[in-house]
Amino acid sequence: MSGRPAPDLPGSAQEAATWVREVRSGRRRSEELIPLLAEESPIYAGMGSGEADRLRGHILASFAWSDVPEAALPYILEELETGRNPFTVAAAAHAVRAAAPPPAEAAALVESAIRRIRGRNQPVDFERLLPSPAHAGGRTALGELEQAQAELQARPCCAHIGKASAPALPADAPRLGEIEVQDQDGEILALGNLVGGRAALLTGFYTRCTNPQKCSLTISKLGRLWNLVEAAGLAGQVAVAGVSYDPEFDLPARLHDYGAARNLRFSANLRLLRTTGPFEPLRQRLAFGVGYGDATVNRHRLDLILLNPDGTLAEYRTRRLWDERDVFDRLAAAAPPPLGG
Amino acid sequence: MKAKDYRRQVEQELGITDATKAATANAGEAADAGEAAMPAASRAEPDCAPLVSRLADSSVDPRSRLMALGALQAAAFLARHFDVCRPDYVAALQSAATAEDPELRRAALDVLTKLKDDFARDRLIRGLSNADEALVPPAVALGLLSADDHNAVREIARRFLGPEFAPKVRAQAVRLIGRDPGARELLTKLVRDKDEFREVRRAGAVALKNLNPDAFAAQARAILADASDFDDIRKTVRGALARSGLTIEEGPAAIPSPVGRLWDWLRNRLGGRPKSR
């Protein structure tokens, strides 16, 4: 499901590893690694999650060999905030130490990463892409995080970066009308009919996601957001939907159970959806950041898309956790007045 | 033995004292409260080093290494106390995973795959591609890899579907392939193929049920309506349907005639693949 590589970008893990070596030896600029951090990059296509995370960690750690471009910071902070793989989180900690100056949120995120990784600490080796047997007493994920924490506390703060690195949507992105979707109850509808004429929030997720900080939390937040929408009397003017990245697996019954287990009180304007056809056209239109292995998603970022009632893009938040009250305020501001109101 | 007593026994084996527990609990509470985690050096450390060393040492008897592994597995449940040991434990497991003793290798790989260890996954996949590098038999490797839906091993698993492989290997391959929504047709074919080994058919049925319950229900009903199908297969799908809360509608054909029952019995006795084997 990944696109063709741009002519001047690596198209495979081996080519990406060559670029990493060149950056580490000073023969290539570190900025050139940024496109390789896109989940849909062909370098991750067909890989399992473990391999994709390892390659990503290998790339992230490379910033410590040279410098940390500003464009790399959202990826590093994302990993520190929601990453689950100790290797990749440790690689982000390794990189953030080299940021000059470090981002304002880095210390707090490293601290939260320490809490997440504690209990799953493991040896880490940033030198090699392919895993090799570890040695007792070597570098560890928790050790990297603790070292980053100590250094961040000792260094002057801070660079302020934007909350999100908003992706550029294709020109026809808002035109979702012809994309057919099915909801958790089996109802088939055109996506445009759900979002059109309302302030809409779309987010990606999949039920096989194993990171509780990502899909599970996102869907729980949709439920809490909807409670705010209903309490404000805006249920008719707002649409909220989670769209599965894994539509062939996420059949209606699965979507229903997943949402119900996270306290979603489904309604006409609050649904979990799957595309009835291929996912790729929707992925491209909404620029969802998701890559695939051979059976399911191998990695995805957090995506939150706010659309105006006329279908134009109001806001695109990506990679970082979001607050439902903050998003509710944004939705309420974009919502049309009630009919007859 | 009560859980409390077992925990106490493991703590004693690791030399964890009340003072150690208090120190590590304080470290955890401090971190939970948002104050930085204590530097590793200042934490009280349980004495897991002898067990880890024994597990890693290739000159030690495999029985003794397996016992060390068992004790360390139990200790790993004491998550907070075990944190300081964990990286060296993983390194020792990786060493044990390539030991000469097959039981030790298998036990170590079992633990490592549960930890989603990159080294173990890489070695299992390499072993399936090249028998000279295999640390465990294919059925074991496929079974260990099937524990994680996010492993990308579909194409490798397909190679083990061929009739030249034993049913238990093919059944594990089916479990792995069955996580891919694109495998629905293949699974349907396996489930309905009365010439297929029953172990493989059952694996196909379970995989299809997990992948697409509606597609499974359709096949299950067809099997239940076919009195000439095997008793144990029909029992399996009947149970799976009931557990799914789906209606079981067995038509008249599902009530086997005496001849049908005799045929069924004969085929069950013959091992489930009467036409081809």
Side-chain angles (χ1 to χ4, degrees):
Chain A
M1 290 211 202
S2 298
R4 287 170 174 278
D8 52 346
L9 287 177
S12 68
Q14 289 77 8
E15 288 172 18
T18 303
W19 276 40
V20 163
R21 276 196 301 277
E22 289 170 358
V23 166
R24 291 182 179 193
S25 61
R27 286 177 288 139
R28 187 179 285 277
R29 290 180 305 117
S30 59
E31 285 88 348
E32 295 181 70
L33 294 178
I34 303 296
L36 307 189
L37 293 169
E39 288 78 3
E40 63 275 20
S41 165
I43 66 172
Y44 305 108
M47 282 183 175
S49 289
E51 288 97 340
D53 277 348
R54 190 164 186 91
L55 176 55
R56 190 178 191 81
H58 196 60
I59 294 168
L60 284 175
S62 299
F63 295 122
W65 263 259
S66 50
D67 61 343
V68 184
E70 195 180 338
L73 292 175
Y75 299 94
I76 292 169
L77 297 182
E78 169 197 35
E79 203 56 46
L80 291 173
E81 185 171 54
T82 55
R84 289 279 294 173
N85 184 319
F87 177 78
T88 322
V89 175
H94 194 62
V96 83
R97 286 162 48 198
E105 309 145 278
L109 294 181
V110 166
E111 198 174 296
S112 76
I114 288 173
R115 285 197 292 272
R116 243 178 14 260
I117 297 304
R118 182 178 290 129
R120 292 183 300 122
N121 194 16
Q122 64 175 42
V124 291
D125 174 8
F126 302 130
E127 302 289 333
R128 282 177 286 270
L129 174 58
L130 291 176
S132 54
H135 301 289
R139 177 181 274 176
T140 72
L142 209 49
E144 281 298 319
L145 284 158
E146 287 172 345
Q147 195 169 344
Q149 184 181 46
E151 287 187 20
L152 288 171
Q153 284 169 350
R155 285 171 57 189
C157 186
C158 302
H160 289 275
I161 65 161
K163 264 194 161 181
S165 53
L169 293 186
D172 64 348
R175 293 210 306 270
L176 302 167
E178 72 271 32
I179 293 183
E180 188 180 89
V181 291
Q182 185 178 36
D183 75 6
Q184 72 288 334
D185 296 321
E187 184 186 342
I188 290 177
L189 64 155
L191 185 53
N193 289 349
L194 175 64
V195 302
R198 301 179 181 89
L201 182 150
L202 294 175
T203 183
F205 81 104
Y206 73 118
T207 65
R208 285 198 269 189
C209 180
T210 55
N211 185 338
Q213 293 287 102
K214 288 192 170 179
C215 296
S216 184
L217 183 58
T218 293
I219 300 305
S220 294
K221 283 184 174 181
L222 289 192
R224 297 201 288 266
L225 173 68
W226 190 252
N227 292 342
L228 296 173
V229 169
E230 284 193 328
L234 291 171
Q237 292 99 276
V238 167
V240 171
V243 185
S244 172
Y245 296 130
D246 194 9
E248 282 191 87
F249 184 81
D250 285 337
L251 301 170
R254 246 174 217 130
L255 295 176
H256 189 280
D257 291 351
Y258 193 81
R262 286 154 186 81
N263 298 318
L264 245 63
R265 292 180 295 115
F266 295 112
S267 72
N269 289 344
L270 172 64
R271 308 191 198 209
L272 295 183
L273 304 169
R274 61 185 286 268
T275 54
T276 55
F279 183 69
E280 186 59 13
L282 184 63
R283 192 199 70 72
Q284 285 187 7
R285 287 201 186 179
L286 294 179
F288 276 140
V290 55
Y292 291 88
D294 65 10
T296 187
V297 170
N298 61 15
R299 189 176 166 95
H300 71 91
R301 69 181 180 209
L302 294 176
D303 281 314
L304 189 76
I305 301 164
L306 293 162
L307 298 173
N308 292 312
D310 63 0
T312 56
L313 180 70
E315 192 174 341
Y316 200 139
R317 298 185 186 186
T318 187
R319 301 208 177 277
R320 303 295 305 280
L321 293 172
W322 47 276
D323 175 71
E324 56 267 27
R325 289 193 171 274
D326 176 32
V327 172
F328 166 74
D329 289 343
R330 193 75 181 79
L331 262 180
L339 283 176
Chain B
M1 182 187 285
K2 286 181 181 172
K4 192 173 69 177
D5 298 332
Y6 182 62
R7 180 180 288 263
R8 173 67 66 182
Q9 182 186 314
V10 172
E11 285 175 354
Q12 279 170 357
E13 277 188 54
L14 290 168
I16 296 172
T17 62
D18 288 340
T20 309
K21 281 195 281 184
T24 49
N26 289 341
E29 281 160 17
D32 291 346
E35 301 169 18
M38 291 168 67
S42 67
R43 289 189 200 131
E45 296 184 14
D47 192 15
C48 53
L51 285 171
V52 169
S53 297
R54 203 195 317 167
L55 174 61
D57 190 345
S58 59
S59 66
V60 170
D61 172 60
R63 293 283 112 203
S64 177
R65 293 176 78 184
L66 270 169
M67 283 175 65
L69 172 53
L72 286 164
Q73 270 187 281
F77 281 104
L78 309 167
R80 191 164 284 171
H81 302 299
F82 196 71
D83 259 358
V84 290
C85 311
R86 199 174 300 273
D88 288 350
Y89 171 49
V90 171
L93 283 166
Q94 291 176 347
S95 168
T98 56
E100 281 191 19
D101 182 73
E103 194 182 344
L104 178 59
R105 282 204 304 268
R106 181 173 171 162
L109 284 165
D110 187 33
V111 179
L112 285 169
T113 48
K114 286 188 177 77
L115 297 173
K116 300 191 176 186
D117 181 72
D118 289 344
F119 170 76
R121 185 187 57 248
D122 183 56
R123 288 303 306 262
L124 289 170
I125 292 174
R126 276 165 53 189
L128 288 169
S129 302
N130 179 358
D132 292 340
E133 293 191 65
L135 298 173
V136 286
V140 175
L142 291 165
L144 291 174
L145 288 167
S146 70
D148 185 354
D149 273 6
H150 291 77
N151 283 332
V153 281
R154 180 186 62 195
E155 294 313 313
I156 295 171
R158 274 186 188 278
R159 291 183 219 152
F160 291 91
L161 274 184
E164 68 273 27
F165 294 102
K168 68 176 180 181
V169 177
R170 299 174 64 229
Q172 291 291 7
V174 167
R175 287 185 188 107
L176 261 173
I177 292 164
R179 303 161 322 156
D180 172 19
R184 186 176 137 181
E185 274 185 36
L186 171 73
L187 296 175
T188 301
K189 200 173 145 215
L190 284 172
V191 171
R192 296 304 303 277
D193 183 359
K194 287 188 224 168
D195 286 347
E196 184 53 88
F197 283 100
R198 282 177 287 179
E199 190 173 352
V200 179
R201 282 184 80 188
R202 274 198 295 269
V206 172
L208 185 60
K209 180 174 174 288
N210 291 338
L211 189 62
N212 190 323
D214 289 343
F216 166 76
Q219 299 310 319
R221 289 195 176 105
I223 288 169
L224 288 175
D226 181 358
S228 70
D229 211 328
F230 298 101
D231 267 352
D232 57 342
I233 293 287
R234 297 174 69 204
K235 206 177 285 180
T236 300
V237 300
R238 190 184 293 119
L241 276 179
R243 281 192 296 279
S244 306
L246 296 168
T247 318
I248 304 169
E249 295 168 10
E250 295 187 49
I255 302 163
S257 65
V259 175
R261 271 201 293 269
L262 177 64
W263 177 234
D264 221 15
W265 178 83
L266 269 172
R267 289 204 299 181
N268 284 336
R269 295 279 295 182
L270 289 170
R273 198 157 179 155
K275 287 183 196 166
S276 57
R277 329 210 149 185

